[in-house]
């Protein structure tokens, strides 16, 4: 849609460039917003599903429509979608603003006297990047609370701040490191999709790209962004389970000890070692309810 709009508007000689920039900004914002909503819905669904297993509340026989995963997904889409959309929109505003500022910096550097403007725009882009990263981390944990308890977005954010204080800063850094690992894996998958798309354009049927200007660039960008977005949604399953386990074990370790003693022993050993090594809380001999 972004390329189609740009191609159409560019063909108009008297077209307003400001209207073109605004339209492309809105389309890019919708793209990022949609991908983040799907990602956060996945996290909330995983959290709602793990809540049943954590307390061993799932009956042995249930019809398919009452399975924990189905119930969690239905509740997330029906009752928590507003909170998820709001949280994703806040991150999306910073993300798109950072992208536009970086592009503006490139334009400013082309002018002889654009050095000061380039430095100012770069500083604003760094600030937006910091806000975007912080909001994304808080949102990922907040939607775990949304999936488990059905909190509103702001109530979940308050609980996240409390849990961060309890878990310790270095333990939070470990979680952020895990997110970065999955992020770069998603980017690698997107780059692989980009390379595959370029290969198909070069060696595929020429009639498929006939009449399209810069077909390699278009297919490459579509493969990169689509592959990265899809991979991020898939990896959200793992990151959601990781964050849900950390939050539930931090809040209610006794529940797991009663329902799943073997899994609790494994987690308690790992958490005690990790807490002692990272400066965070430890569990084992003394457990908090």
């Amino acid at each position: 849609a972004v390329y189609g709009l740009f191609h159409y508007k560019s063909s108009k000689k008297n077209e307003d460039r400001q209207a073109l920039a605004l339209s492309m900004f809105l389309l890019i914002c919708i793209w990022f917003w949609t991908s983040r909503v799907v990602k956060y819905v996945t996290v909330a669904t995983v959290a709602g599903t793990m809540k049943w297993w954590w307390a061993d509340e799932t009956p042995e026989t249930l019809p398919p429509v009452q399975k924990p995963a189905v119930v969690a997904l239905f509740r997330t889409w029906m009752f928590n979608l507003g909170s998820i959309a709001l949280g994703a929109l806040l991150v999306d505003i910073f993300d798109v603003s950072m992208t536009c500022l970086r592009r503006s910096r490139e334009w400013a550097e082309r002018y002889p006297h654009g050095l000061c403007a380039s430095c100012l725009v770069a500083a604003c882009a760094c600030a937006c990047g910091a806000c975007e990263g912080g909001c994304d981390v808080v949102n990922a944990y907040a939607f775990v609370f949304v999936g488990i308890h059905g909190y509103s977005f702001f109530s979940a954010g308050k609980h996240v701040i409390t849990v961060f204080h309890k878990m310790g800063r270095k333990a939070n850094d470990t979680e952020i490191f895990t997110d970065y690992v999955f992020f770069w894996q998603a980017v690698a998958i997107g780059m692989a999709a980009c390379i595959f798309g370029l290969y198909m354009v070069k060696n595929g049927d020429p009639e498929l790209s006939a009449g399209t200007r810069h077909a390699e660039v278009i297919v490459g960008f579509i493969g990169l962004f689509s592959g990265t977005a899809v991979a991020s949604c898939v990896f959200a399953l793992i990151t959601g389970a990781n964050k849900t386990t950390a939050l539930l074990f931090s809040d209610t370790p006794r529940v797991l000890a009663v329902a799943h003693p073997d899994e609790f022993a494994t987690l308690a050993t790992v958490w005690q070692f990790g807490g002692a090594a990272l400066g965070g809380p430890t569990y084992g001999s003394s457990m908090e309810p």
Side-chain angles (χ1 to χ4, degrees):
V2 172
Y3 171 76
L5 178 64
F6 178 78
H7 180 73
Y8 173 75
K9 294 289 187 179
S10 299
S11 62
K12 304 292 184 179
K13 296 182 179 180
N14 299 326
E15 189 66 33
D16 187 4
R17 295 294 177 177
Q18 293 182 354
L20 171 62
L22 179 60
S23 301
M24 294 188 64
F25 176 83
L26 292 177
L27 286 175
I28 295 174
C29 184
I30 292 173
W31 162 255
F32 282 109
W33 188 21
T34 303
S35 62
R36 289 189 185 278
V37 167
V38 175
K39 174 184 174 181
Y40 293 149
V41 165
T42 304
V43 172
T45 303
V46 170
T49 305
M50 286 188 62
K51 176 189 68 173
W52 292 71
W53 176 87
W54 190 268
D56 197 17
E57 296 177 346
T58 306
E60 296 182 359
T61 58
L62 278 176
V65 294
Q66 295 183 6
K67 294 293 184 179
V70 178
V71 173
L73 180 61
F74 177 80
R75 189 179 69 175
T76 300
W77 279 107
M78 292 299 296
F79 303 107
N80 301 325
L81 187 60
S83 299
I84 293 174
L86 176 60
L89 180 61
L90 294 178
V91 181
D92 182 54
I93 292 174
F94 289 117
D95 198 356
V96 177
S97 299
M98 179 179 62
T99 303
C100 294
L101 287 172
R102 288 177 177 176
R103 183 60 178 170
S104 300
R105 177 189 177 186
E106 296 176 0
W107 288 341
E109 290 176 348
R110 298 176 184 176
Y111 295 94
H113 303 287
L115 181 60
C116 294
S118 176
C119 293
L120 180 61
V121 172
C124 294
C126 291
C128 288
C131 294
E132 184 267 339
C135 290
D136 194 18
V137 172
V138 172
N139 282 352
Y141 283 97
F143 294 129
V144 172
F145 281 108
V146 171
I148 295 175
H149 304 290
Y151 291 154
S152 64
F153 174 70
F154 294 104
S155 298
K158 293 179 181 179
H159 283 82
V160 168
I161 301 301
T162 303
V163 170
F164 277 6
H165 178 73
K166 182 178 180 181
M167 291 175 62
R169 180 185 63 82
K170 295 183 179 180
N172 298 334
D173 292 343
T174 305
E175 295 291 331
I176 295 173
F177 173 76
T178 305
D179 292 340
Y180 273 112
V181 170
F182 286 120
F183 169 76
W184 287 113
Q185 287 180 348
V187 172
I189 294 175
M191 294 179 64
C194 174
I195 295 173
F196 178 76
L198 293 176
Y199 174 81
M200 293 300 295
V201 172
K202 290 290 186 180
N203 301 280
D205 189 356
E207 295 182 357
L208 297 177
S209 58
T212 303
R213 295 185 304 173
H214 310 293
E216 297 85 356
V217 178
I218 298 171
V219 173
F221 273 105
I222 291 176
L224 177 63
F225 285 106
S226 300
T228 303
V230 173
S232 298
C233 294
V234 174
F235 287 137
L237 291 169
I238 306 175
T239 57
N242 182 38
K243 296 179 187 304
T244 304
T245 302
L247 291 180
L248 288 175
F249 197 77
S250 177
D251 286 342
T252 57
R254 289 186 181 274
V255 176
L256 181 65
V258 174
H260 305 281
D262 296 335
E263 287 79 1
F264 170 79
T266 303
L267 279 176
T269 302
V270 174
W271 197 277
Q272 185 174 11
F273 171 77
L278 297 173
T282 59
Y283 296 95
S285 58
S286 60
M287 297 181 300
E288 297 182 7

